[in-house]
Amino acid sequence: MEKMYLFYILFILASLHVHRVRSAIGTSQINCATGSNIEVGNIQEGYEGDVEIITNIGPDDHLELEYYLFPIGVTFLELVYSDGDSTATVRTRKPLDADVLQKSGGILYYSLSCPNPSIKNIRKVEVQDVNDNPPIFQSKSYSATVSETTAVGSDVLRVTAKDADVSTENNRITYSIQPPAPDEFEVRDDGNIRLKKRLNYNNNQQYIFIVEAKDKGGLSDTTTVTITVEDFDNLNPYFDHSLYEASIVENQVGQFSDVTPEAIKAQDGDTGINEPVVYSIKAVFPNEYQSNFEIDQNSGVLSVTTALDREEIDQINVNIQATQQDDASKTANAVVSVTIEDVNNKPPKFDQDEYTVSILENSPQNQLVLQTRVTDPDLGGFSKGHFIMDSDTFIINSQGVISLRSDATLDRETVDNYNIEVIAVDQPVDGLSSTAQVIITVLDVNDNNPQFLPLPEPIEIQEGVYTPSSPGEVCKILTTDADIGDNGHVTITTNSHTELFRFREDGTLLAIEELDRETQDVYDVIIVAMDHAIPQRNSIATVRVNITDVNDNAPVFSSDTYSKSILVKDAKVGEVLLTLSATDKDAGSNALISYRFSEDSSMVALDAETGNITLTSDLSGVTEDTLLNLTAIATDHGTPPESDEAEVLIHFKITSFTETVAFESSSYKFTIKENEPEASIVGKVKALTGSPLVTVRYNMKSHEDVFSVDGEGTIKALRPLDKEEEEWYILTVEAIDSRTPPTMAETTVNVQVENVNEAPVFDLETYKAEIFSFSPYKSPIVKVQAWDPDVGESSELQYSLQESTTLLDVEPNTGQIYVLDASSFENNLSTFHVKATDKHGLSTTTTVQIEMNQSVHHDSVTVISLNKPVYIVEKMIPEMEESMEKVLGWTVKILSVRAEDGNEMRTILRESTDKTYVSFIAMDSSGAVIKATEVKKKLNTEHKALTSELEKVFGPGLEINVEDSSGNPEDPIQAFIIALIAVIVVLAVISVTSVSTNIYLKNGLPYTWIVSYIVGKKK
């Protein structure tokens, strides 16, 4: 198959190279004898092939091809012949062309010669013309200049084309203008272009069109004709535009650089002549600005020679004229509307250099503060201006209104005055500016309770007689109130022991009645610091006033006389004969007693501290009964010292005979512990009769209702004794013997009641309180109070919760109970037990019942967790609330802070974890509680901002998670109304029930109501 394809290809190629074989035009015999003249025939030009076959050629004929008459003919032919051939062929070298043979009239002449050159065989071949040549223009373009005044019908130009074909039929040419042909011209058959319509230079200065030359056969050629119209001076000059607009910046001179729609230009109406024009200013409106302008007479460039002020005028019309230089009567006019552009050369101006305004410190966020006003004489005024004010508290908008920022709050106690510079800038870029001072004074709102400064310690005053006119100064109590004016003017009053104490205006606590330490040595005075605002705020504290001793009591001997009888023979040196006893109602050094004799004795000595009288002599010098009469003096250590005297009688007897009864000692001193049971033995006295035959009976002569004495001299307590009621009892015991008549003797018995630690006692058996579920963390609920029967030890009591709980906490020293997590109370009524423990470990318990008002349900409580220990979070609650308020835009109150395991905070302080759960509620500006779902949504949206704010409180690396919480929906407004009614009801019964009401306000809106009331029976 491939070979077949190759064969076809070769066959086709071979066919392309095979000359077309044509038969000869004619055949003739050569005549070398006489010659010949033969017309071979005729053929169309372009022929190629054999022209003539020549025969009858002799062997000696040597044919040659020669020209005849016209040499050009043989250039087309060649002779195919070799000597000895009998025939020859004349054939073409190239296609025959009649146009080339035009001189020979289209006849191809040639001759064949024999050896005799003079013999010619002339041949003629007529070559017929074929239309194979197009007309050809002598020039590819023609041009002429024609005046616009040339008459219609005039020939303005001739175009000429030639056709190389020789026949008249083939070389006849017709001319035409190709579309689009101008209406003003036509072409004639001879090639002349004639004017058909009058020319107008102003309409068309030049015509360019195509002329075509075409022969009969349709062959053609084209040439381009350009006719330029020559102008004639018959028109006025003219401006390109009747109105030009130009602008120039105020306060500048010089040429107008930007003229619209184009530069000012006037020209001759005969633009072909274009005679120069001269420019001039004809008028300026307003006229007074004529001298501000000039125009270049040659170029027409308009200039400002005297600067203009836009604030004076912003638009001027300049009438200009163009005059043809060679003919002043030919003119043209135009108007140039000049706009004076504004330059920002006038700074804005505040209507005041200094603004002064006041605002309440509890003003809500976004509160309008003042309106500044700015003017600017420049174009547009202050419409593109802006304000700059550097303040974290206030913000200014584009209209110059200064208001409190949405994330800012005012606190006069922190900052009471803001001096802010406000800058008005008239443009966004490279603007001019001016400044004004804004002085904002924050007005006080009574939002701070008076506070007691650290109380002096200890607080003491000497006992004494004081009166309102001659009071005694106890101490000066200092207070502070962060508010000012009446809001910060604090007065202190007493709320207990008002008959004994009052305050002077300067805060000095005064004693105004007699104070007797021996009657009462400690007063717990409740004091109230109250400001002068309406309504008033107050703080309450308790000060313990200790009454210090004055040496106003002399020692008192237990007996006026102390006596002792002793047998000389039984006497031993160092033996204690008597013990003197004196007491002093004073305290401290004033109650310390030293004993001495008024005169020294060589027989006995008196111990200064114990009061023991000891024998110092062996009595060897005593030979008869001797009565030693001494005066004993008991002196205290006060200043000046006080003293008492007692008589001391010591009988030194030689024999033991006696006729009267006598006590072994003139005085006795016994002690008994308080609260000992009935019939407890106090001590034993003994009287001597001197004879075994004489008996003695005893009789209690004083305090018979408290003590008894039996026949053996044993003294017993008839009931338990209380040191706090009476510490010393001075008894008189009588001894009566059996003689007739009986003799009697008396002795003094001093009984001291010793202190025994007693358990504390609460004021009430049951404390009751009511709280609301949105009570914030650490809100006070109720204060429990206990007292210690032991003298002076009530202040050392420690309070604690008996059960471990995360809901409450109690202040150990004061008994104040706080709420830790109000939202987690599950029951409407919860019962707790508080224990008071004295320093010796004895304790007692009271019951605390807390009623929960469900004003906010759990669906309003949101819980987040932080990767920080509880004891750190607890300390930062105020800062945390403030940071959360900034981010959320709501008031935030933390209800509880607890650890991951739920243990109460006191346990956590010992075993801290690194995760803390914080429960809180959020409230809007009306006090309504926001639902937890909405709070969570905002927490998630603002998580990054919240983390950033709280890291300022807790440091970097803080992680915050929003935890799940649940609850039942409740209308916060309804809860608020219920809470308010509850408060009013409690206040209404304040006269019959001991009530303590604490209402905490913020920005005038209730956010925590804690009503605590105490109902119970005092012990």
Side-chain angles (χ1 to χ4, degrees), residues 670-678 680-682 706-707 717 719-729 751-759 787-793 838 840 842:
F670 302 120
T671 60
I672 183 173
K673 293 185 182 296
E674 63 178 340
N675 299 322
E676 289 289 317
E678 180 182 349
S680 295
I681 295 175
V682 177
V706 181
F707 298 95
R719 57 179 173 81
L721 302 180
D722 187 353
K723 177 184 177 181
E724 286 68 41
E725 290 183 2
E726 192 77 36
E727 182 179 2
W728 286 92
Y729 293 91
V751 179
Q752 183 181 18
V753 181
E754 291 185 339
N755 184 53
V756 174
N757 187 36
E758 297 177 77
W787 58 281
D788 194 331
D790 298 316
V791 176
E793 295 185 1
D838 67 15
H840 303 291
L842 286 181

Side-chain angles (χ1 to χ4, degrees), residues 11-31:
F11 175 77
I12 292 170
L13 292 176
S15 299
L16 293 175
H17 288 81
V18 174
H19 291 289
R20 183 177 57 179
V21 179
R22 292 186 180 181
S23 61
I25 298 172
T27 303
S28 65
Q29 293 182 352
I30 191 71
N31 186 352

Side-chain angles (χ1 to χ4, degrees), residues 559-825:
S559 178
D560 293 335
T561 303
Y562 295 86
S563 63
K564 177 73 173 179
S565 296
I566 184 172
L567 289 175
V568 172
K569 65 177 183 176
D570 296 333
K572 297 178 181 178
V573 176
E575 180 184 358
V576 176
L577 303 180
L578 290 170
T579 299
L580 306 186
S581 175
T583 59
D584 194 321
K585 293 183 179 180
D586 293 321
S589 61
N590 294 333
L592 293 178
I593 298 173
S594 297
Y595 300 95
R596 64 182 177 86
F597 287 131
S598 60
E599 295 179 356
D600 291 337
S601 170
S602 60
M603 301 178 71
V604 293
L606 176 60
D607 188 287
E609 292 184 4
T610 64
N612 291 333
I613 298 176
T614 57
L615 186 65
T616 59
S617 171
D618 59 5
L619 302 182
S620 59
V622 178
T623 58
E624 60 183 12
D625 290 348
T626 302
L627 175 63
L628 181 62
N629 191 336
L630 299 172
T631 298
I633 300 175
T635 304
D636 62 26
H637 289 203
T639 304
E642 300 285 342
S643 62
D644 189 21
E645 295 183 354
E647 184 179 29
V648 177
L649 299 175
I650 301 176
H651 294 266
F652 296 106
K653 293 191 176 187
I654 300 300
T655 63
S656 60
F657 176 79
T658 179
E659 296 180 353
T660 61
V661 65
F663 280 98
E664 285 185 327
S665 178
S666 61
S667 65
Y668 294 86
K669 181 180 180 182
F670 302 120
T671 60
I672 183 173
K673 293 185 182 296
E674 63 178 340
N675 299 322
E676 289 289 317
E678 180 182 349
S680 295
I681 295 175
V682 177
K684 189 174 183 179
V685 296
K686 185 177 182 180
L688 302 175
T689 63
S691 171
L693 301 176
V694 179
T695 60
V696 178
R697 60 183 176 88
Y698 299 95
N699 185 33
M700 184 66 65
K701 301 259 322 203
S702 64
H703 298 290
E704 298 92 333
D705 58 335
V706 181
F707 298 95
S708 66
V709 62
D710 62 13
E712 299 298 324
T714 301
I715 298 173
K716 297 181 180 180
L718 298 178
R719 57 179 173 81
L721 302 180
D722 187 353
K723 177 184 177 181
E724 286 68 41
E725 290 183 2
E726 192 77 36
E727 182 179 2
W728 286 92
Y729 293 91
I730 300 176
L731 313 178
T732 301
V733 179
E734 181 182 47
I736 305 172
D737 63 17
S738 58
R739 291 186 178 91
T740 303
T743 62
M744 295 175 290
E746 291 182 355
T747 188
T748 300
V749 178
N750 296 290
V751 179
Q752 183 181 18
V753 181
E754 291 185 339
N755 184 53
V756 174
N757 187 36
E758 297 177 77
V761 179
F762 277 100
D763 290 340
L764 300 175
E765 293 179 353
T766 301
Y767 292 81
K768 294 184 178 181
E770 180 181 359
I771 66 171
F772 294 89
S773 59
F774 57 83
S775 301
Y777 179 75
K778 280 279 188 177
S779 296
I781 303 175
V782 66
K783 189 174 185 180
V784 297
Q785 288 287 290
W787 58 281
D788 194 331
D790 298 316
V791 176
E793 295 185 1
S794 293
S795 62
E796 301 180 22
L797 296 178
Q798 293 290 303
Y799 299 91
S800 61
L801 288 167
Q802 190 169 15
E803 305 92 352
S804 177
T805 178
T806 60
L807 304 180
L808 301 178
D809 193 15
V810 62
E811 180 64 36
N813 296 325
T814 65
Q816 179 66 61
I817 296 176
Y818 301 96
V819 62
L820 297 181
D821 187 0
S823 65
S824 295
F825 276 78

Side-chain angles (χ1 to χ4, degrees), residues 939-988:
L939 283 172
N940 290 326
T941 303
E942 303 293 338
H943 188 273
K944 185 175 181 181
L946 181 62
T947 302
S948 177
E949 277 295 327
L950 289 181
E951 282 186 340
K952 298 176 184 177
V953 176
F954 295 106
L958 184 68
E959 295 179 5
I960 305 173
N961 292 315
V962 181
E963 304 291 341
D964 291 333
S965 60
S966 61
N968 297 319
E970 182 175 321
D971 184 3
I973 300 300
Q974 181 182 1
F976 166 70
I977 294 172
I978 294 171
L980 182 59
I981 293 173
V983 174
I984 294 172
V985 171
V986 174
L987 291 176

